[in-house]
Amino acid sequence: MPESSKSPFVVVANRLPVDRITTADGQTWRRSPGGLVTALHPVLQAEAGCWIGWAGGEGEAPAPFSLDNMQLSPVPLYADELRNYYEGFSNATLWPLYHDAVEQPAFHRHWWKSYEEVNRRFADRAAETAAPDGVVWVQDYQLQLVPAMLRKMRPDLRIGFFLHIPFPPAELFVQLPKRLDILRGLLGADVVGFQSPGAAQNFLRLTRQLLGLKPRGHLVEAEDGRQVRAEAYPISIDTVSVERVAGSPAVHSHAERLRKELGNPKTVILGVDRLDYTKGIEQRLKAFRELLADGEMSVPDTVMVQVATPSRERVEHYKALRRTVEREVGRINGDYGRLGVPAVHYLHQSYSREELAALYLIADVMAVTPFRDGMNLVAKEYVASRLSNDGALVLSEFAGAAADLKQAFQVNPHDLDALKSVLLTAAASPVEEQRRRIKSMRRYLRGHDVKHWARGFLTALGVPETATAYDSDNTPETST
Ligand code: ADP
Ligand code: F6P
């Protein structure tokens, strides 16, 4: 690559912000799933940088292209890598292990080999793409080896790493057969960022326990003598942009239409999650079923809408979860629905930002009840969308967002009775109380938005502020 087309600011993430999909009309692009893309898109757009990532699908990658002021550099993943690196080591080993082992992590040696090979490919691409003395910001658990690989090739770079998911306590991490490689991979960065102070502490403690290093405060001297900073930078949303979408007349009329289609119920309970076993969807449905059975809630006064975005559909735990959730939805609707009035509206689909905003507007109660979640941006999007300050957020204590959204109705989702009771309390909460809570959380999100997150991390990495204002009203939906 000629020096002139190299980029001073590079993001490396498993996924690009858009996914290549094949429809009856040919190939098109769709916004990629997950909170990482929601958060990083406005940041990278403002920095006018290059985003390296997988474009979805298997086999050869499309040529580099530009989108919304960013250069996108697609990296290929081949069929065996999808099975071993992505579905295997990333999503059947690391994902469950890092989420408190809510499902049993599986370990296979050939998965690890593929994880290393794919991490090498991303590191090579970053080394080719970054301008001299540039900044490379590596994202998430799929790419934990990239910082050290990249540092070996390009010691001139400033390298950051941010983990979007929890980092587990030592008792769990030490189960990982390749635990030393992962720690050393991360220590290749100058700054390793986490969602919570507890996660950063877990990491620092492990550098002492497994590598014999001597962390002091937020710093630890790596084996090559560099100082590495490990600290919490809780991620957030583009609050102003979410407010703008929620305030648009088109979204309001869509919301009115939706409410009417639901039969104008008194209370709408909403869940919006990737269909993932960490999200506690089946427990939430069970709580709703028991509330209907106890006569504490009834259809059509109260209905539930559950959006379950398709995710990692070939991984066994995800297949099993889909069967469980769909069986439970069928059971609830069979027992408590009426002709034309289901108790649970279940939507296994992707939506645009506007459609999601309309759902947030009709949700009297938003139920965000993961067993474990790095942050959970859906909770923050709901709060920021409530421009009228009413509505009730039921939020798991085990979501990173619970540390930021302290005025939510917080709950331990493992405790089914507590979950039932908090859903009832939230649904019946007086509007003055709702306003007090939502207002205060909205104020918090205004000061702690994604710009604040990125600035905090990049300042620690020694990156000066760009002149560009962050304005991301055009998070990609579908583009070609
Ligand atoms: P995770 O990163 O684990 O998926 P988050 O709650 O942090 O969880 O982020 C999910 C992001 O994906 C949010 O920005 C949300 O708006 C978006 N999202 C969730 N469900 C859908 C859907 N069905 N269609 C489109 N976007 C979705
Ligand atoms: O941090 C959450 C995350 O795993 C991201 O890394 C990822 O992009 C998103 O959720 C969606 O998952 P996937 O890329 O496996 O569809």
Side-chain angles (χ1 to χ4, degrees):
M1 181 182 277
E3 287 296 306
S4 58
S5 50
K6 292 194 173 188
S7 187
F9 188 84
V10 177
V11 157
V12 190
N14 176 57
R15 271 188 195 278
L16 288 175
V18 285
D19 233 1
R20 185 176 49 171
I21 50 162
T22 309
T23 65
D25 306 327
Q27 294 210 323
T28 181
W29 295 96
R30 187 179 60 193
R31 174 184 167 192
S32 304
L36 181 153
V37 165
T38 303
L40 271 172
H41 181 265
V43 174
L44 196 65
Q45 214 184 353
E47 301 284 342
C50 177
W51 185 319
I52 295 172
W54 172 49
E58 71 183 39
E60 289 308 316
F65 60 105
S66 36
L67 173 83
D68 300 341
N69 204 34
M70 304 176 286
Q71 290 304 311
L72 302 192
S73 179
V75 174
L77 288 183
Y78 299 97
D80 60 319
E81 295 167 345
L82 280 178
R83 274 195 308 277
N84 301 324
Y85 149 77
Y86 172 70
E87 292 162 355
F89 199 77
S90 296
N91 288 315
T93 306
L94 294 172
W95 181 268
L97 187 76
Y98 281 28
H99 286 87
D100 280 358
V102 289
E103 287 288 355
Q104 183 66 30
F107 304 108
H108 295 291
R109 281 168 287 184
H110 63 288
W111 288 357
W112 169 255
K113 196 165 161 282
S114 179
Y115 185 81
E116 264 187 320
E117 282 166 8
V118 173
N119 271 248
R120 168 75 53 203
R121 185 175 307 143
F122 277 84
D124 287 346
R125 179 69 65 84
E128 279 163 29
T129 309
D133 302 316
V135 173
V136 177
W137 195 0
V138 184
Q139 310 291 324
D140 230 357
Y141 63 102
Q142 302 95 338
L143 300 176
Q144 292 173 99
L145 305 180
V146 170
M149 289 174 168
L150 185 56
R151 178 158 305 279
K152 272 216 174 98
M153 291 184 274
R154 292 286 309 272
D156 59 302
L157 298 174
R158 261 168 300 170
I159 303 173
F161 179 91
F162 185 78
L163 186 70
H164 292 252
I165 68 174
F167 190 81
E171 308 82 84
L172 284 174
F173 188 81
V174 292
Q175 290 181 15
L176 198 56
K178 295 295 176 180
R179 56 202 190 181
L180 296 186
D181 303 69
I182 298 279
L183 286 185
R184 290 196 168 110
L186 294 172
L187 284 167
D190 298 296
V191 178
V192 186
F194 297 89
Q195 298 280 25
S196 71
Q201 280 313 313
N202 289 345
F203 172 75
L204 287 166
R205 248 181 247 136
L206 278 157
T207 65
R208 183 197 302 277
Q209 186 176 325
L210 297 181
L211 298 175
L213 303 181
K214 297 192 173 60
R216 293 176 73 99
H218 299 302
L219 296 177
V220 57
E221 188 178 314
E223 289 162 313
D224 60 4
R226 282 174 312 106
Q227 290 290 327
V228 176
R229 174 175 290 275
E231 210 171 352
Y233 304 91
I235 205 165
S236 195
I237 53 166
D238 188 342
T239 310
V240 169
S241 163
V242 171
E243 285 177 352
R244 206 178 296 151
V245 174
S248 88
V251 166
H252 274 259
S253 22
H254 187 44
E256 268 172 31
R257 235 180 3 258
L258 282 179
R259 199 161 189 119
K260 210 153 147 207
E261 279 167 20
L262 291 177
N264 284 319
K266 213 168 107 253
T267 307
V268 175
I269 302 176
L270 175 68
V272 174
D273 314 80
R274 269 184 312 100
L275 187 46
D276 194 298
Y277 52 81
T278 58
K279 303 286 184 183
I281 302 170
E282 63 290 34
Q283 185 87 335
R284 189 185 306 157
L285 287 167
K286 196 168 176 192
F288 185 50
R289 169 163 56 77
E290 290 196 6
L291 287 168
L292 293 172
D294 301 344
E296 306 258 31
M297 285 184 173
S298 63
V299 182
D301 266 10
T302 304
V303 297
M304 181 182 247
V305 177
Q306 176 64 55
V307 176
T309 321
S311 188
R312 306 172 191 165
E313 292 188 279
R314 299 195 309 192
V315 178
E316 204 37 63
H317 286 316
Y318 289 76
K319 288 188 195 162
L321 174 73
R322 183 169 178 189
R323 285 193 294 271
T324 312
V325 164
E326 294 184 354
R327 197 181 317 119
E328 186 65 37
V329 170
R331 179 174 172 192
I332 298 175
N333 284 336
D335 288 347
Y336 303 102
R338 300 201 196 152
L339 274 183
V341 193
V344 181
H345 297 254
Y346 170 73
L347 303 156
H348 184 241
Q349 295 162 37
S350 283
Y351 290 98
S352 68
R353 268 159 45 104
E354 287 72 16
E355 286 167 315
L356 280 182
L359 284 168
Y360 293 145
L361 291 192
I362 62 164
D364 305 291
V365 177
M366 179 83 212
V368 179
T369 57
F371 295 129
R372 175 61 74 193
D373 209 330
M375 176 53 63
N376 199 291
L377 295 184
V378 163
K380 293 188 170 180
E381 288 168 2
Y382 173 72
V383 168
S385 303
R386 303 299 299 186
L387 302 182
S388 49
N389 294 323
D390 55 353
L393 172 65
V394 170
L395 180 61
S396 162
E397 292 165 14
F398 303 109
D404 291 342
L405 304 178
K406 296 202 173 70
Q407 295 78 14
F409 292 87
Q410 298 206 0
V411 65
N412 169 6
H414 298 277
D415 181 344
L416 196 57
D417 288 330
L419 187 52
K420 288 166 63 182
S421 138
V422 81
L423 284 170
L424 278 177
T425 308
S429 55
V431 77
E432 308 76 56
E433 179 184 350
Q434 296 186 358
R435 292 219 160 99
R436 186 174 45 73
R437 289 173 183 257
I438 296 272
K439 247 188 180 165
S440 142
M441 293 189 284
R442 281 187 62 203
R443 200 173 316 119
Y444 182 86
L445 290 178
R446 285 221 151 177
H448 296 80
D449 62 357
V450 74
K451 177 181 174 184
H452 175 87
W453 166 73
R455 195 49 3 243
F457 187 97
L458 294 174
T459 300
L461 196 54
V463 181
E465 188 142 14
T466 51
T468 334
Y470 285 63
D471 179 9
S472 62
D473 218 11
N474 43 356
T475 300
E477 305 299 352
T478 307
S479 50
T480 47

